[in-house]
Amino acid sequence: MLFPHTRLRRMRKKSWVRDMFSETFLGPEHLIVPLFVCAHSPLEHQSLSELKICSLVHLERYVREKILPSGVTAVMLFPVIPQAKKDAYAQGALSADNVLLEAIRLIKDRAPDLGILVDVALDPFTSHGHDGLLDKNGTVDNDATLEVLGQLSLLYAQAGSDFVAPSDMMDGRTGFIRKVLDSRGFSGTGIMTYSSKYASCFYGPFRDVVGAKLPQGHSKKTYQMDVRNGLEALREARQDVAEGADALIVKPGILSLDILFRLKEKVEIPLVAFQVSGEYFMINQSSKNGFVSYENALMETLYVMRRAGASAIVTYGALDAARFLKSKR
Ligand code: PBG
């Protein structure tokens, strides 16, 4: 029926009507907070981007005072490794002093109900900043990298991580990791694969924090996806599902709404949108300039990712969003 018979504004007239018929619900249980962990504080590397780095000594307090009361129920851990401990082979990853092993054990011990996801990739540990090992020609060697990712995932599972989240974009890593975990008695540890991960410039603040600078002229385009493509997102997703993924991560989140929507329609598995560091800072910085309200901008982007198909969302604004949601109740 056409106007004037139908007037859609009737359904927007009062806030109770808008709320009653709203299609998208967002609660703190849908949010995952990224957490950078370092062994010692202060760091030699001061980040430009104000993303929080938590040292092991502060971790328990941060979890107890900030995360648990917020209502957010899961964290995603990233390691911050001093440059002196990095090398071309990412040996620090598989060493007993990989800071995340202690971080996982500590959180599991003090906050056993807090969900732990761990990002699995080699870039925080490599001197060249790539997500994998390099072959003679300087390209990332897919199958050699799988071996390390498998061992690293096993270490994180043994330490008590609930999910591992491989973010490296090597072919076959979901199945490879699944096999390693199953063969070592960790069939209960989940895999949340970064399935559609684009070669995006919006990972800048993250790379700054973990100190993963690529050599001049290098990029991650030989393994991360081309932003011009959508079909390969479907192909990646189908492979990851077939290889045993439990959920798929799509990133950058706000820049991949079409992908979230397509995957939601075509692939039967929960989707997680990752609002990446550069996306978060677009909001954060424009609110500092007074162009947008931080709360409104953050919440709008989170709702839109949910509307597009995301079950859960990783965002640097998770704790703030949880606070905003609480004040609305
Ligand atoms: C590690 C990894 C990256 C991000 C998540 N895991 C960086 C990259 O791939 O270069 C980006 C997260 C962000 O920007 O918030 N491979």
Side-chain angles (χ1 to χ4, degrees):
M1 283 292 183
L2 292 178
F3 174 83
H5 189 76
T6 298
R7 287 176 182 269
L8 291 172
R9 286 184 59 195
R10 283 195 286 265
M11 293 295 275
R12 304 180 196 132
K13 200 169 152 190
K14 292 273 173 68
S15 90
W16 72 262
V17 186
R18 294 194 295 273
D19 288 342
M20 180 175 284
F21 297 107
S22 64
E23 295 165 29
T24 307
F25 178 74
L26 175 71
E29 65 273 30
H30 300 119
L31 301 173
I32 299 166
V33 58
L35 195 54
F36 296 96
V37 185
C38 70
H40 304 290
S41 185
L43 286 170
E44 91 253 32
H45 171 80
Q46 275 306 320
S47 169
L48 308 168
S49 64
E50 33 169 323
L51 293 178
K52 258 209 201 71
I53 303 174
C54 204
S55 76
L56 279 176
V57 283
H58 297 123
L59 185 58
E60 182 192 0
R61 192 159 147 209
Y62 189 71
V63 167
R64 178 163 34 86
E65 292 183 0
K66 298 273 192 256
I67 300 182
L68 294 179
S70 74
V72 172
T73 52
V75 292
M76 182 179 268
L77 301 178
F78 300 92
V80 176
I81 308 296
Q83 295 300 331
K85 291 203 167 180
K86 300 185 183 191
D87 60 37
Y89 311 102
Q91 293 182 85
L94 300 185
S95 106
D97 72 345
N98 174 345
V99 64
L100 288 192
L101 299 175
E102 187 57 28
I104 296 166
R105 287 191 289 259
L106 201 137
I107 296 174
K108 270 293 146 197
D109 184 54
R110 311 296 153 80
D113 293 333
L114 185 64
I116 303 183
L117 291 70
V118 184
D119 188 89
V120 174
L122 303 187
D123 53 330
F125 303 98
T126 52
S127 42
H128 44 69
H130 276 293
D131 289 31
L133 306 178
L134 303 183
D135 64 16
K136 291 192 293 294
N137 311 315
T139 15
V140 172
D141 183 335
N142 194 90
D143 298 8
T145 300
L146 291 185
E147 299 289 340
V148 187
L149 296 174
Q151 291 312 307
L152 185 56
S153 300
L154 179 62
L155 287 179
Y156 290 150
Q158 285 166 336
S161 187
D162 298 299
F163 284 87
V164 290
S167 69
D168 51 283
M169 290 304 280
M170 295 303 110
D171 286 324
R173 84 267 210 224
T174 303
F176 191 92
I177 292 170
R178 186 69 276 156
K179 242 193 210 141
V180 172
L181 293 179
D182 288 355
S183 70
R184 299 298 295 274
F186 289 91
S187 56
T189 304
I191 305 180
M192 219 177 267
T193 301
Y194 287 79
S195 185
S196 295
K197 176 165 178 177
Y198 283 94
S200 165
C201 70
F202 288 91
Y203 308 150
F206 174 100
R207 290 185 194 166
D208 182 53
V209 173
V210 302
K213 277 212 175 57
L214 294 169
Q216 195 81 47
H218 281 234
S219 80
K220 297 191 176 183
K221 288 186 179 173
T222 67
Y223 42 107
Q224 299 181 349
M225 282 167 28
D226 191 315
V227 292
R228 294 170 295 187
N229 298 340
L231 270 184
E232 61 182 317
L234 285 166
R235 299 182 73 192
E236 289 281 357
R238 293 204 168 107
Q239 283 203 13
D240 286 324
V241 171
E243 290 177 28
D246 298 289
L248 305 183
I249 300 176
V250 174
K251 83 187 256 196
I254 349 177
L255 290 168
S256 307
L257 297 175
D258 57 327
I259 302 300
L260 282 167
F261 189 70
R262 280 165 86 168
L263 293 180
K264 185 78 188 165
E265 304 258 288
K266 297 234 162 105
V267 189
E268 283 146 7
I269 188 165
L271 303 173
V272 179
F274 195 136
Q275 180 173 64
V276 300
S277 54
E279 293 179 316
Y280 175 73
F281 277 104
M282 286 200 291
I283 297 167
N284 182 295
Q285 293 302 315
S286 29
S287 74
K288 285 191 175 143
N289 291 339
F291 294 143
V292 295
S293 128
Y294 174 64
E295 173 172 354
N296 292 345
L298 177 66
M299 298 315 285
E300 181 171 331
T301 58
L302 300 184
Y303 277 117
V304 166
M305 286 184 281
R306 287 270 295 156
R307 190 185 73 208
S311 297
I313 301 169
V314 185
T315 169
Y316 297 91
L319 300 183
D320 293 328
R323 184 161 44 83
F324 298 144
L325 289 166
K326 227 180 236 173
S327 71
K328 284 260 143 52
R329 292 260 166 96

